[in-house]
Amino acid sequence: MEIYLTSSPTGPLDGSRLVDGLDSMNRFVENLRTDWKPDSRCVIVAASPDDCERNDEMAEFFVSALRRAGLSVAAFDVWDSRTEDTSREALHSFDAVLLGGGHVPTQNAFFHRIGLRENIKGYDGIVIGISAGSMNSADVVYAQPELPGEAADPEYVRWLTGLGLTKTMILPHYQMVKDNILDGMRLFEDISCGDSYGKHFLVLPDGSYLRIANGQESVWGEAYEIVDGRMRQICETDKTLLYRG
């Protein structure tokens, strides 16, 4: 299994850098090409399983982006609330599995509903995590509060069981959300740093990613780490770093 856990594989969500299709920054497309099979059969597992129209639009977008990057696609399916067969056999018939972006707890619940944690074990293909999909790939998921009310709600569950593809807990879109205020608190300084004691969070801006191959994890591009309430930069653009968390 080759795993790419991205913040955004198609460029910054805030439009700070224009990207047409897949983002080639930090050798993402170059690395992906080395693992990609010709005429790959792909599936994207939705973060919002009931938003079927948006899921279909997202699938069309990624088919186009992959093909423009020179990655051939024979089929591209969508797994959401319409999907009847989410078995291990069905999953393992695909060459590439994309884990969509969206609301982490919503996607996490869908992953559990379809038994994805168990079914993805032993998968021999490419996994591409996108934002929430990257976060939910961890064994223990830190569901960083995102929506108004979540940070202040004592009932909001911040620790979830993920897919177990890595122990690394990723926080995406850093360049876009680093100054966010949620429920009167600073997202990173007051919320996530406070939640980091005894934990390691890998913080990625769009364009950076964690690659896992042969059991070895490497960070590609600008990245930060939050440990025990402190944040520090660990990697820079166009550089790579072996990561052990």
Side-chain angles (χ1 to χ4, degrees):
M1 190 187 313
E2 280 74 38
I3 304 172
Y4 294 81
L5 301 182
T6 76
S7 180
S8 170
T10 55
L13 298 188
D14 58 3
S16 57
R17 182 170 49 84
L18 296 181
V19 174
D20 183 21
L22 293 186
D23 192 351
S24 61
M25 193 173 185
N26 297 305
R27 297 173 60 186
F28 174 67
V29 174
E30 180 182 342
N31 286 332
L32 189 57
R33 281 182 182 143
T34 65
D35 297 324
W36 197 264
K37 294 180 180 179
D39 299 321
S40 284
R41 298 186 67 255
C42 309
V43 62
I44 188 165
V45 186
S48 302
D50 297 326
D51 194 349
C52 299
E53 182 177 353
R54 179 178 177 274
N55 295 336
D56 289 341
E57 291 173 353
M58 182 169 53
E60 292 179 7
F61 172 77
F62 275 106
V63 168
S64 176
L66 289 165
R67 287 175 173 163
R68 287 205 304 276
L71 304 171
S72 58
V73 177
F76 198 103
D77 290 0
V78 177
W79 279 12
D80 57 17
S81 59
R82 298 168 294 183
T83 307
E84 296 181 3
D85 185 3
T86 57
S87 65
R88 183 181 188 277
E89 291 72 23
L91 182 71
H92 287 236
S93 70
F94 295 103
D95 301 299
V97 175
L98 288 75
L99 308 172
H103 187 237
V104 173
T106 301
Q107 183 184 56
N108 188 273
F110 181 57
F111 283 0
H112 282 284
R113 195 170 92 204
I114 65 175
L116 191 58
R117 179 182 171 101
E118 291 302 316
N119 290 339
I120 206 167
K121 289 179 179 177
Y123 174 70
D124 185 22
I126 296 172
V127 175
I128 302 174
I130 304 164
S131 186
S134 295
M135 298 171 76
N136 274 317
S137 295
D139 184 29
V140 177
V141 178
Y142 173 55
Q144 184 184 48
E146 174 185 358
L147 302 179
E150 289 181 344
D153 183 2
E155 301 299 318
Y156 177 75
V157 180
R158 301 189 185 194
W159 307 101
L160 305 169
T161 300
L163 298 182
L165 301 180
T166 177
K167 293 188 180 299
T168 301
M169 291 178 276
I170 290 174
L171 301 182
H173 313 307
Y174 179 63
Q175 90 289 345
M176 186 170 69
V177 302
K178 62 182 180 179
D179 297 321
N180 280 11
I181 303 295
L182 186 64
D183 301 334
M185 293 174 278
R186 296 172 297 175
L187 180 60
F188 280 88
E189 293 88 341
D190 300 328
I191 300 173
S192 294
C193 283
D195 289 335
S196 71
Y197 285 88
K199 309 289 183 183
H200 288 70
F201 299 150
L202 178 63
V203 183
L204 301 177
D206 295 344
S208 299
Y209 57 98
L210 182 73
R211 185 185 185 191
I212 307 173
N214 300 315
Q216 181 173 281
E217 302 194 0
S218 54
V219 175
W220 293 74
E222 180 184 347
Y224 304 82
E225 188 177 58
I226 302 177
V227 181
D228 292 337
R230 295 177 178 270
M231 183 171 179
R232 66 185 183 98
Q233 186 168 357
I234 60 171
C235 198
E236 300 176 2
T237 300
D238 294 327
K239 293 187 178 180
T240 185
L241 170 76
L242 290 178
Y243 188 70
R244 294 177 176 83

